[in-house]
Amino acid sequence: MSQARRIRWELTLLAYVAAGIMFFPIFWLFLTGFKSEGDAIAIPPKLLFTPTLESIYEALTRSDYARHFLNSIISAVGSSALALVLAIPAAYSMAFYPTKRTNGTLLWMISTKMMPPVGVIIPVYLIFRDLRWLDNVWALALMYTVMNLPVVVWTLYAYFREIPHEIMEAARVDGASTSQELTRVLLPVSGPAIASAALLSIILAWNETFWSLNLTAAQASPLSVYVASFKTAEGLFWAKMSAASMIAILPVMVMGWLAQRQLVRGLTFGAIK
Amino acid sequence: MLLLIVWTQIPFILTIYHSFRRFNLLNPERQGFVAFENFSSLLTDPVFWTSIQNTLVLVGSVLFFTVVIGLFLAVLFYQDFPGRALARTLVISPFFVMPVVSALIWKNMLMHPVYGLFAWVAENLGQRPIDWLAVYPMQSIVLMVSWQWIPFAMLLILTGLQSLSKEQLEAAKIDGANAWQEFRYVIVPHLAQTLSVVVMLETIFLLTIFAEIYASTSGGPGLATTTLPYLIYLKAFGEYRIGVAAAGAVFAVILANIVAVFVLRMIGRNLQGGRT
C-alpha cells in the first residue's frame, strides 16, 4: 500500500471514529428506547437484549403524550405557515423592489434575533397573562412566528435575489398583476427555498424550550416541556423517557439531515454560502 | 412588519420600564417607581456576579471547544472518503436534538453516578464512579453544550471550506507546501471570515443557553451553574420579583448587544459585498 493511500485510509477511519463518538449518545438513547425498564438500568449495561416496543408503545398511547405531540405540531407547523405567509410578500418586495431602506430593514430585522429572549420574557409574560393567552397553544404559535420571522424572511430574500428579474418583467409585460406575479411566477420557481425556510422554522420552533416552558402549562405545552418533566426521573423510567425522547427528536433530526445545506444559509442569514 | 415592531421593541421597552419599578407578582398592590433600586440590589447581590462569571465561563469554554474540534472535524470531512455522506449525517445529528433531550441523555444515561455508562466504564477501569454533575457541574454542562454545538461549527466551517478553490490548494502544493503549511497559510486565512461568523453567532446563541441547565442541574449545585438567563428565570418565576428580573434582563440585553454590534457590522459588509 502506498503511503498516500495509507494516510487516506487512516483519515477515513478517524472520520468514522469521530462520527461514532458524536453519534453515540443518540445511539444509546435509541437503544434504551427499545429496552424494557429492567434492561434499561441493568449493570453492566446491556448491549444485547431482547428489543421490545413496549416503551415506545406506552409513550405513544399515553393520552397526554399525544396531546403534547399535537401541541408541538400545531405550534411548529402553524407558526411556520404563518411566518411564510407574512415573509413571502416581504421578501418578494425587498428582493425585487429594493429601496434605500431595504438594507437597513434587513439588518434591523436580524438585530431583533440577537435580543436574548430573557430580555423580553417578562413583559411578554405579563401581556399574555392579561390577554389570558397563557397555556394557549395558538398564542405560543404566534410567539414562534415572531421568533422565526426574521430568519424566514432572510432565507427567502437570499434566494429571491438570485432569481433573474427578467422572469418577473416578462410576466408584467403580459399584464400580470403583482399578486399574480407572486403566485403564478415566483412561487412555482421558489419551491425549494420555501421548503427549506419552512423546515428551518419548524426545527427551531420544535426544539424551542424557553418560551414554551414559561408561557404554557398542562394544556398547551409541547413535547419539549413534556420531556423536561422527566428531568427528575431517577432510574425507574429510563426506557419510557428514552422512548418518549426518541419520538420527540426523530422528526426534526430527519428534517435536519435533509436540509443541512439550507440550514447553514438560514442560520447564518446567508453570510456563509 | 408592524407585528415585528410590536413584538420585539415594545416588550423590551416594557422590560426597561419594569426594571425601574417595584413589582412582585405575589404582592401586586405594592408597586411603584423605585428608580435604580432594582439595579443596585442586583449589582450588590453576589449571586448576580457569580451568574455573570458562570455565563462567561460557559460561553468561553464552549466556544473554544466547538471551534477547535469543529475545525478539526471540518477539515477531516472535507476529504473525500467512502461513506462520507453517512458519516457526516451522524456527526451533525447532535445539533438537531432537542436541548432538553440532550440534557436528559447526558444527565441520566451517561453521567449518572449509579446507572450511567460513564460510571460503569470507570468501575471497569478500577476507578470510583464520579457523580459528574455534582462534582464537576460546570465542566459537565460545557461538555454537554459543546457536544451540541460542535456540529454547528463544523457545518459552517465545512461550507466555508467548500468555497475554497481547488486551484488555490494546488498552487500551494506546486509551491512545495506540506500539509501543515497548506492548512496554516491557505485554509486558515480563507476561513477567517467564516470563523468570525461562527464565533459571533455562537456567542449570541450561547449567551441564552437555558434548557440544558434547566433540565440537568437547575443551576446547581448551589450556584455553580446558574447563568444570567437562568438567574433571571429564577427571579421572575421562582421569586416573582419582576422588577429585579427585568433589571437582570436589561444587563443580558446589553451583553448580547455588544456582541450583536460586531455581527451586524460583519453581515452588513457581506450584504453590501453580495449586491455588487
Side-chain angles (χ1 to χ4, degrees), chain A residues 239-252:
Chain A
K240 260 185 235 65
M241 177 194 87
S242 303
S245 305
M246 186 167 94
I247 313 166
I249 62 175
L250 206 57
V252 160

Side-chain angles (χ1 to χ4, degrees), chain B residues 168-189:
Chain B
Q168 241 179 315
L169 279 178
E170 267 153 33
K173 265 205 193 87
I174 293 167
D175 290 344
N178 61 30
W180 168 249
Q181 285 169 328
E182 203 179 284
F183 176 75
R184 173 68 189 80
Y185 295 105
V186 183
I187 295 181
V188 170

Side-chain angles (χ1 to χ4, degrees), chain A residues 154-155 158 161 262-273, chain B residues 193 197 267 270-271:
Chain A
W154 264 80
T155 316
R161 217 173 51 178
Q262 289 81 354
L263 273 178
V264 174
R265 273 191 169 199
L267 284 168
T268 59
F269 308 106
I272 299 172
K273 284 185 185 156
Chain B
Q193 199 215 350
V197 173
I267 294 178
N270 190 279
L271 195 69

